[in-house]
Amino acid sequence: MAGFGLPNFGQLTEAFRKAQQIQQDAQVLQQELDAMEIEGKSGDGRASVWLSGNQQPLRVRLDPALLQDGQSTCEAATLEALQAAYEQSTATMKGRMEELTGGLDLNLPGLGG
């Protein structure tokens, strides 16, 4: 019996197949992001912060000369490096997610799309 406003079985099967593939690809992407090390530097390059692709802090490096410039200078440089690493990590994550979901057609006929 047809005509209940539902997509045909082939379309549903294809949609589920795509969803399963995206789920598998997302798991691989999660592992790749965990393994990434993204470095952010202060403008003068004397402070560096590394984050994973999932924005987990990994390590910090401060030039010894920076430490001699005082606490506020050191804090400002560290914050600048952290912000740079965060921006790069966010952009990387966003780009990879767009690659992952780019082929998915979310407008399934009969499902209000």
Side-chain angles (χ1 to χ4, degrees):
M1 215 167 162
F4 288 107
L6 295 175
N8 71 41
F9 186 72
Q11 289 172 317
L12 281 176
T13 301
E14 181 63 16
F16 287 127
R17 187 194 64 74
K18 285 182 181 179
Q20 286 176 332
Q21 184 62 49
I22 287 177
Q23 183 179 13
Q24 291 170 356
D25 292 347
Q27 290 172 344
V28 170
L29 175 58
Q30 183 72 31
Q31 293 169 348
E32 290 174 4
L33 290 171
D34 282 340
M36 286 181 182
E37 290 191 7
I38 298 171
E39 180 183 10
K41 292 185 177 185
S42 60
D44 63 8
R46 298 191 302 167
S48 294
V49 173
W50 285 265
L51 300 177
S52 74
N54 284 319
Q55 301 175 340
Q56 292 297 312
L58 299 173
R59 65 181 182 277
V60 174
R61 184 200 54 80
L62 303 176
D63 186 306
L66 177 62
L67 298 174
Q68 296 176 5
D69 286 349
Q71 181 177 344
S72 63
T73 301
C74 189
E75 288 171 350
T78 303
L79 179 59
E80 188 177 353
L82 179 59
Q83 289 169 332
Y86 176 79
E87 288 173 13
Q88 291 175 1
S89 177
T90 300
T92 299
M93 189 184 309
K94 181 180 177 190
R96 296 299 305 273
M97 288 302 293
E98 287 173 357
E99 289 173 18
L100 179 68
T101 61
L104 180 63
D105 180 9
L106 297 176
N107 295 318
L108 296 174
L111 295 179

